[in-house]
Every structure is written in C-alpha cells, then in structure tokens.
Amino acid sequence: MTTGEAIGTPAHTHTYAPEHTPRLAMAKLAPEVYKAMVRLDAAARHGVDPTLLELVKIRASQINHCAFCLDMHTKDALAAGESVERIIQLSAWEESRHFYTPKEIAAIELTEAITVLTDGFVPDAVYEGAAAHFDETELAHLIAAITVINSWNRFSVATRAVPGHYTPGSLKS
C-alpha cells in the first residue's frame, strides 16, 4: 500500500490523507523492554480462549484509540475466523449484546473497567460478573492479558506506530 492508496482500491479512485511518520522504533531502541513485553504477552494469554482474547484486545484498543493495535487485532481476529459483524458491533456491544456470549460480555466489561479506571478501581459487580464465567486461573490470565494490551496500546500510541501494514499472525510469538 502506498501513501494515499487504500487496500483493494485503485489509487486513482480515492485520495487519502498521507500516513503519519512514526516517532521512534521501540523494538530497536529498547529491545529488552520489547522482548520482555512479548514474553509477558505470551504468558498472559496462556489458557485464554484466542477468539475471546482478540475481542478483548480490539475493545481495549478502541477505547485507547490505538489504530496500530486495531489494525493488528482485527486482522488476527478475521484470520482466526471471527465475523466482521461481531468486530464491527464491538464498539457498541452494549446495544448489540446478542452478538456475544455471556462469558464474552463479562470479559468485555472487565476490559472496559481495567482500561478506563475512571473511578480508580474495577467495580465489584464487574469483577464478580467475570468471576462467574472464568475460574481463578483463567481470570488471572485474562486480567494480565487486558493489562498487556493496554501497555501495547500505550507504546503504539506514544510512538505513533503506523497502522495498515500488518499481516495476520506476523508478530505472534
């Protein structure tokens, strides 16, 4: 894809804004931090359903306005068989709950509570809702996975990682 060209669209049909320039390359400039994050990410997702995990990563990335992570995780979700409809509806999941299982809703609610932390804590009702669907080990890993995607979002937003070039599965460890 070249600047001003959309995927699957001839360049002469639409003119798009140019890509922004990334601020810096975290992986190259702080390789030990990057490697530690990759290891933490792998450890956190252990035992968490991969489809549910992609929904969680997409929802946190929507809240954090992380275009790079949205690009990555929507592509990974689609490659894993997730439906376009469920991905589209995720930003308005409260109005389209019927697209998700009660377990997925509990994970999405927990994701929002951990990501936003508006009141400085995760409400008991949200935590208890998640605890009703996940055993303690699964819940611990889910909380870790939500924390990790929030960290990745912050790295990507702060460094202005450029979305649009990710190939599904290419950054999985």
Side-chain angles (χ1 to χ4, degrees):
M1 186 168 95
T2 61
T3 301
E5 183 180 321
I7 297 171
T9 305
H12 66 278
T13 306
H14 296 87
T15 301
Y16 293 90
E19 287 183 351
H20 63 267
T21 303
R23 288 180 174 148
L24 55 87
M26 267 310 268
K28 290 179 185 172
L29 298 170
E32 292 306 314
V33 171
Y34 184 82
K35 290 176 198 171
M37 282 295 296
V38 169
R39 288 190 305 272
L40 181 59
D41 195 342
R45 68 177 179 259
H46 178 76
V48 180
D49 175 77
T51 301
L52 181 126
L53 188 58
E54 291 303 332
L55 291 175
V56 162
K57 289 179 177 187
I58 293 166
R59 187 64 193 126
S61 299
Q62 289 171 335
I63 294 166
N64 291 322
H65 304 282
C66 184
F68 182 84
C69 292
L70 280 169
D71 180 54
M72 175 188 296
H73 296 296
T74 55
K75 287 176 179 176
D76 283 344
L78 289 167
E82 184 57 82
S83 74
V84 170
E85 192 170 44
R86 282 172 33 106
I87 292 170
I88 291 169
Q89 291 299 318
L90 192 54
S91 65
W93 69 269
E94 290 175 293
E95 295 177 46
S96 52
R97 297 170 79 86
H98 60 284
F99 285 94
Y100 308 99
T101 68
K103 185 174 186 173
E104 290 168 338
I105 290 169
I108 294 164
E109 288 176 331
L110 186 62
T111 299
E112 290 190 0
I114 292 171
T115 300
V116 178
L117 290 177
T118 304
D119 297 322
F121 61 92
V122 173
D124 290 340
V126 171
Y127 182 86
E128 290 164 8
H133 293 281
F134 298 90
D135 67 34
E136 286 186 338
T137 301
E138 291 173 321
L139 189 55
H141 281 95
L142 179 59
I143 290 168
I146 294 166
T147 302
V148 171
I149 188 57
N150 274 280
S151 295
W152 282 124
N153 289 163
R154 282 148 178 78
F155 281 150
S156 294
V157 170
T159 64
R160 294 188 66 184
V162 179
H165 305 282
Y166 177 74
T167 301
S170 65
L171 294 179
K172 298 289 182 200
S173 56

